[in-house]
Amino acid sequence: MYYLEHGKLYYEQAEKSPLAIQPILLFYGLVHLIKACILTVEPDYPETTSVLAHGVSTRKRKKQQYSFTDDEVKFQKNGLFSLMAEKMFHMKQLEGEKATMGNLLELIPELSGIYSELRGKQIFEVVTAAESGFSLPKSIIDQFHMTENRFKEFFQAKSSIPVSFVEDPNHIRFEANLSEASEPLPLKYNLEEQHYVFPIKKGDLFLFPELLLHYLVLYNLGMIARYETEWWSELIKMMPNEDYPLIQSFLKSTLKKVPYLIYQHLINK
């Protein structure tokens, strides 16, 4: 309860704070909320000092032509990130893997609008509630370069909850109890638009729970806000490229989305 209260304080202060320091407050707020979740399954946490590290690292930044979306984080063997992945989402062996900020941001549903505006790029298909379950447009199979049957097999194989399909000549129609899981992967919930979506980029992070995505982006942004003061200040004051609207949109989204995801995780335990 104390970790939840402390995390709540960070988020309340972040909402009132200028963008310049928001990433720091949001990252440490998230850390406290994650620790609260871990304690529900690991009451002796922290058992060793090795789990106290953040669990990810960033490369040394290049001063010339630096792009936030191209920047990377690398997953470490020990620390909060790997512990969270294991204890909360039963994921192991992430050590040594990397992720770019662009690939992470493209899997956050609330950023679909800004990606569409900036790049004319569609990153999700909307899941429509139908009479018998839900439906996706058949055009999604072209995005995945699959036949309809192959896509259905793929969806069922990747889904974290049981999915069954209903014959429909015009849509990919399916039935599933989406409330069974805090995040019925690969589906994600767009909190701003109040509907589920299906990511149309099938990459290494396709089945990453969204809390892990937010942790990685906030970790990197927090490091930048603390240690890359010149670049960070110029970004905020000059808004020189698309990094600024993407970061601003992400911070606005994560302020609401992370507490929602934490709440969903705790009530679906």
Side-chain angles (χ1 to χ4, degrees):
M1 288 304 298
Y2 291 142
Y3 277 108
L4 289 174
E5 286 178 1
H6 216 68
K8 181 170 176 279
L9 287 174
Y10 271 108
Y11 273 81
E12 287 173 348
Q13 290 306 307
E15 193 166 16
K16 303 170 188 173
S17 298
L19 187 143
I21 61 170
Q22 270 191 355
I24 303 167
L25 295 169
L26 289 170
F27 177 69
Y28 284 107
L30 172 55
V31 165
H32 281 83
L33 296 179
I34 288 167
K35 288 179 178 178
C37 292
I38 290 172
L39 281 166
T40 64
V41 292
E42 196 79 7
D44 293 330
Y45 170 83
E47 290 185 279
T48 65
T49 55
S50 65
V51 299
L52 295 175
H54 294 318
V56 285
S57 62
T58 55
R59 65 187 178 186
K60 188 173 181 180
R61 265 172 202 85
K62 296 174 182 174
K63 296 296 180 185
Q64 297 297 320
Q65 305 301 315
Y66 169 77
S67 165
F68 178 72
T69 52
D70 292 335
D71 200 5
E72 290 180 334
V73 285
K74 186 175 181 180
F75 311 158
Q76 304 294 323
K77 181 178 181 180
N78 296 313
L80 186 60
F81 180 72
S82 59
L83 189 70
M84 163 175 56
E86 181 184 348
K87 299 299 180 184
M88 293 173 66
F89 304 109
H90 313 293
M91 298 168 68
K92 292 187 178 182
Q93 292 150 350
L94 298 176
E95 180 191 1
E97 292 185 29
K98 296 178 181 179
T100 67
M101 294 297 103
N103 286 341
L104 294 167
L105 293 172
E106 284 186 13
L107 284 167
I108 295 174
E110 291 76 17
L111 300 187
S112 58
I114 193 74
Y115 264 100
S116 179
E117 288 177 28
L118 290 176
R119 301 184 180 181
K121 186 175 184 180
Q122 183 184 4
I123 55 177
F124 293 97
E125 282 285 3
V126 174
V127 174
T128 306
E131 286 180 17
S132 57
F134 304 89
S135 72
L136 284 160
K138 282 207 173 177
S139 59
I140 194 170
I141 64 177
D142 298 328
Q143 304 277 1
F144 284 84
H145 308 291
M146 295 176 179
T147 64
E148 183 176 339
N149 285 337
R150 175 70 190 95
F151 176 78
K152 289 177 178 178
E153 289 171 5
F154 169 78
F155 189 179
Q156 285 178 318
K158 299 294 184 184
S159 182
S160 61
I161 59 172
V163 173
S164 59
F165 291 95
V166 179
E167 284 301 317
D168 187 314
N170 303 313
H171 301 88
I172 306 285
R173 197 177 295 276
F174 63 95
E175 294 178 342
N177 186 353
L178 301 185
S179 63
E180 277 186 11
S182 56
E183 190 175 348
L185 294 168
L187 300 180
K188 296 179 181 295
Y189 188 67
N190 186 322
L191 188 61
E192 291 175 8
E193 302 289 338
Q194 303 278 299
H195 57 225
Y196 285 94
V197 294
F198 196 105
I200 56 180
K201 185 175 181 180
K202 188 183 70 169
D204 295 338
L205 305 173
F206 185 69
L207 292 177
F208 250 50
E210 205 179 331
L211 272 173
L212 300 184
L213 306 177
H214 284 260
Y215 182 91
L216 293 169
V217 177
L218 282 173
Y219 167 80
N220 200 20
L221 280 174
M223 294 293 282
I224 291 169
R226 278 180 290 168
Y227 301 119
E228 294 290 331
T229 307
E230 185 181 351
W231 182 85
W232 183 234
S233 297
E234 282 197 1
L235 177 81
I236 294 167
K237 295 180 189 303
M238 307 299 290
M239 307 178 199
N241 54 32
E242 65 179 26
D243 283 348
Y244 179 81
L246 278 172
I247 291 171
Q248 183 190 42
S249 297
F250 168 75
L251 291 173
K252 180 183 175 186
S253 163
T254 196
L255 187 66
K256 304 294 184 186
K257 189 65 175 289
V258 162
Y260 168 82
L261 291 169
I262 292 287
Y263 175 74
Q264 291 298 317
H265 180 81
L266 289 173
I267 64 169
N268 279 281
K269 280 180 59 60

